Amino acid sequence: MDTLLNLNGARAQKARFYAKVRPKKVSLPLALAGTVFFLAGLALLILHNSLGFLLFAPAIFVLMIKIWEAGDLKNLDEKTDDRSIGGLLDSGILANLRSENPSAYDVWAAAQNTPARWFFQNRYMVPPSAFEELLSREPGSAGTVWEQSAQLRKAYGSAGYSAPVVIIALLRTIPEIENILRNLKIELKDLESGILWLQDVIEKHKLAKKKKYFGGWARDWAYGYTPILRYLGQNVSEAIQYSGFFSDIVMHDQVVDQMIASISNGTRSITLVGDIGVGKTTCVYAFADRILEGGSLPQNIRHNQVVALDAPTLIAHAKGPGELERLVLQILEEARRARNIILFFDDAQVFFGQGTASVDLSNILIPVLESGSVRLIFALTPKEWQGIGSNSASLASKFQPIQVRPATEEETMAVLRDKIMSIEYQKKVLYNYQALKEAYKLGGRYVDNQSMPGAALAILKAAAIAAKDGYVTAETVQSSVESSVGVKLQHASEEESGTLLHLEDELHKYVINQKQAVSVI
């Protein structure tokens, strides 16, 4: 590969041109001018004035630029070339470089206005001074940056030397970087995980703008007349279709594979067994998404739809004695007639007489389980699953249990990075990476009614209320947990530290003639 930059190459010239026409202050007036020329030319032609043809020329020129911009120019970063640095480098950085033998600082100067720079500054609190003061300004020192970029590209599967890859490569070249990051309470590997984080954010923005095609209206016609089910249930499949995509982490793939294998092999009832917070409901959404994707699924599971039933909602609509049983029977009958409905009972223990405010509907569900007329998914904790087995071994034998384990730290961090985007949109806040790490640490310590990742997610949601200026940091998370559990977590202030250092002298003022006892305390 040619390690020298060619700023006169076709890709570099395209990058510079795109950088000029891409900003809204240029792009919008350009589009407006083209429209005006076109309309003016059209008006003149209607009036039989041949000058209209002349006005069409600039309109066509603008149209060609916009077509080029929307196609080739916009997709420059997807068209990389391994034969040169210029063929791999992020187009935004390439457009701003002025030397073919740049220094590491020159690369930073070209990259500092990219979204990646602001991402790492806001999400990880990386100070600009680390780049401004510590990067080499020696011509040619960018060679080390390209070497680090090549390693990161290979490690994280980047198409080229993307902006986040280059930002981390720049940090890797700073000898004092570990000390800087230690003060930020992060490590270099944490920053490197930001490459995948930013890639995921960009991908989700693309998916949100361009929704997936799941087969159109024809696939929904088979979803028969089910008025009560539509009113009281939540159609998971329709919710995914409406949003256009559903994202999940790898840890649930194995569970979803088991669910598909079980149902496609004739199993009619599945029970997801796992502690609160492990993501049983998320598994069901991932399962519904896999069905929508289609692919190589068995024929007997294709075009099925998953509908979730919420116990509190059903109970709230049961106005009198026997009303809940009647509602459940009607729902089961509608699902049986539709033939492509898979019912998901969340908090299923409520329907089997387990726990508070529960109703035992075993006498209704057992015939359905025995006949296999409706495919069912239940979600239970290990304790609730054990309780059903103890009370009725015959009932438990009709379920196919699938274990959903708690998430590891790496898996939890992946979930948090994914989930906070919706929380940020709803709460109008911004979380940094340190807040996510602190939520994982404190969630495992102080949230005893949920497992990971739910415990950490619960802490992050609560911390949004305590955010100052809309920014959630590790200190914000600590403050939020302090107020909820009454335990001191943050570092003592200077005044508090002074009090603690002189605590023995203070105690002597109140406890007279007990020198040894106070010293022991």
Side-chain angles (χ1 to χ4, degrees):
M1 182 179 70
D2 187 358
T3 57
L4 293 177
L5 273 173
N6 179 11
L7 296 183
N8 292 318
R11 190 169 185 270
Q13 292 182 29
K14 288 179 181 179
R16 287 194 293 272
F17 182 78
Y18 186 42
K20 292 178 181 178
V21 300
R22 182 182 184 183
K24 287 185 177 180
K25 63 181 181 180
V26 176
S27 183
L28 290 178
L30 190 65
L32 181 61
T35 303
V36 169
F37 278 118
F38 176 79
L39 293 176
L42 185 63
L44 287 175
L45 289 177
I46 291 173
L47 296 173
H48 304 290
N49 190 328
S50 60
L51 288 176
F53 289 109
L54 292 177
L55 294 180
F56 275 153
I60 292 172
F61 178 71
V62 171
L63 177 63
M64 290 173 63
I65 291 177
K66 299 303 290 183
I67 292 174
W68 189 26
E69 178 186 352
D72 189 35
L73 297 181
K74 188 176 182 180
N75 297 317
L76 273 178
D77 289 321
E78 297 175 10
K79 299 175 181 178
T80 56
D81 185 350
D82 289 352
R83 292 174 294 181
S84 66
I85 297 296
L88 289 169
L89 191 57
D90 174 86
S91 62
I93 299 175
L94 182 61
N96 291 321
L97 281 170
R98 296 293 177 263
S99 170
E100 294 190 341
N101 191 32
S103 67
Y105 180 82
D106 291 335
V107 178
W108 156 248
Q112 63 176 318
N113 288 323
T114 61
R117 173 265 172 100
W118 299 109
F119 175 84
F120 285 106
Q121 183 172 320
N122 292 329
R123 293 294 190 183
Y124 292 86
M125 301 177 70
V126 178
S129 58
F131 301 95
E132 294 285 346
E133 299 171 8
L134 301 174
L135 283 174
S136 172
R137 301 189 182 223
E138 187 71 24
S141 57
T144 308
V145 178
W146 309 143
E147 291 174 6
Q148 295 292 338
S149 297
Q151 295 176 17
L152 291 165
R153 178 199 178 204
K154 183 177 180 181
Y156 292 95
S158 178
Y161 296 171
S162 63
V165 163
V166 173
I167 295 289
I168 301 302
L170 285 166
L171 290 171
R172 275 186 167 192
T173 67
I174 299 174
E176 300 88 348
I177 190 60
E178 294 294 346
N179 294 331
I180 295 172
L181 297 182
R182 193 174 296 113
N183 292 331
L184 297 175
K185 298 180 181 178
I186 55 175
E187 300 176 15
L188 197 54
K189 67 176 183 180
D190 296 323
L191 276 170
E192 290 179 8
S193 71
I195 296 174
L196 296 177
W197 188 358
L198 185 52
Q199 286 176 353
D200 188 52
V201 170
I202 293 171
E203 184 62 27
K204 284 184 173 57
H205 282 165
K206 289 180 180 177
L207 289 172
K209 289 181 179 179
K210 184 180 180 181
K211 295 183 179 181
K212 290 182 183 178
Y213 179 71
F214 290 114
W217 296 106
R219 68 174 298 143
D220 296 329
W221 290 344
Y223 185 20
Y225 182 64
T226 54
I228 297 175
L229 191 53
R230 282 189 176 275
Y231 179 62
L232 297 178
Q234 180 188 3
N235 192 309
V236 174
S237 303
E238 283 186 355
I240 295 172
Q241 284 181 294
Y242 179 78
S243 64
F245 69 97
F246 175 75
S247 61
D248 191 28
I249 58 173
V250 177
M251 68 169 284
H252 291 143
D253 282 352
Q254 185 178 0
V255 175
V256 174
D257 289 341
Q258 289 179 270
M259 294 172 71
I260 289 174
S262 295
I263 288 188
S264 61
N265 289 334
T267 301
R268 309 298 288 183
S269 301
I270 293 174
T271 300
L272 299 178
V273 182
D275 294 321
I276 296 172
V278 297
K280 298 186 292 294
T281 302
T282 303
C283 287
V284 174
Y285 271 76
F287 170 72
D289 182 63
R290 188 83 68 85
I291 294 175
L292 286 170
E293 292 282 356
S296 58
L297 288 177
Q299 191 63 37
N300 66 343
I301 201 174
R302 288 186 185 182
H303 307 309
N304 277 252
Q305 301 207 12
V306 180
V307 179
L309 294 171
D310 179 67
T313 300
L314 292 177
I315 293 173
H317 282 81
K319 303 301 182 182
E323 182 66 16
L324 180 60
E325 289 84 348
R326 188 182 67 81
L327 277 176
V328 173
L329 281 171
Q330 287 180 310
I331 287 171
L332 291 170
E333 178 58 22
E334 287 184 354
R336 185 192 67 77
R337 288 200 309 265
R339 299 201 307 178
N340 68 331
I341 300 296
I342 301 173
L343 292 179
F344 169 50
F345 288 83
D346 207 355
D347 297 322
Q349 72 280 357
V350 174
F351 300 103
F352 295 105
Q354 303 283 322
T356 57
S358 62
V359 179
D360 191 356
L361 298 178
S362 300
N363 59 327
I364 293 175
L365 292 172
I366 285 177
V368 177
L369 293 169
E370 289 177 342
S371 66
S373 57
V374 180
R375 285 173 290 191
L376 308 171
I377 301 174
F378 299 93
L380 295 166
T381 66
K383 182 179 179 180
E384 293 157 357
W385 170 243
Q386 187 177 12
I388 290 175
S390 300
N391 294 335
S392 176
S394 61
L395 176 61
S397 67
K398 294 176 175 59
F399 297 114
Q400 172 65 50
I402 296 176
Q403 301 295 325
V404 184
R405 61 174 176 80
T408 64
E409 180 177 2
E410 183 179 355
E411 291 166 344
T412 298
M413 292 299 291
V415 171
L416 299 183
R417 290 196 300 263
D418 181 61
K419 298 296 184 185
I420 61 167
M421 286 190 282
S422 61
I423 301 173
E424 288 175 336
Y425 178 78
Q426 294 167 5
K427 304 290 186 181
K428 310 304 178 188
V429 296
L430 181 74
Y431 292 88
N432 68 19
Y433 181 83
Q434 289 86 334
L436 272 58
K437 286 194 72 174
E438 193 68 14
Y440 175 79
K441 183 177 77 173
L442 298 181
R445 188 181 303 171
Y446 294 108
V447 181
D448 54 7
N449 62 342
Q450 290 193 57
S451 293
M452 292 296 170
L457 197 57
I459 282 185
L460 285 179
K461 288 179 179 178
I465 302 173
K468 294 180 179 179
D469 300 319
Y471 197 46
V472 181
T473 64
E475 291 73 23
T476 311
V477 172
Q478 291 171 352
S479 176
S480 175
V481 173
E482 279 183 2
S483 63
S484 61
V485 301
V487 177
K488 180 69 176 178
L489 297 173
Q490 301 186 78
H491 294 297
S493 65
E494 186 176 343
E495 181 180 349
E496 290 171 327
S497 298
T499 302
L500 292 171
L501 286 171
H502 301 92
L503 185 59
E504 185 173 345
D505 295 336
E506 289 294 315
L507 286 174
H508 279 303
K509 295 179 182 179
Y510 302 98
V511 183
I512 311 300
N513 297 327
Q514 295 292 334
K515 185 175 181 180
Q516 184 178 357
V518 170
S519 297
V520 171
I521 292 172

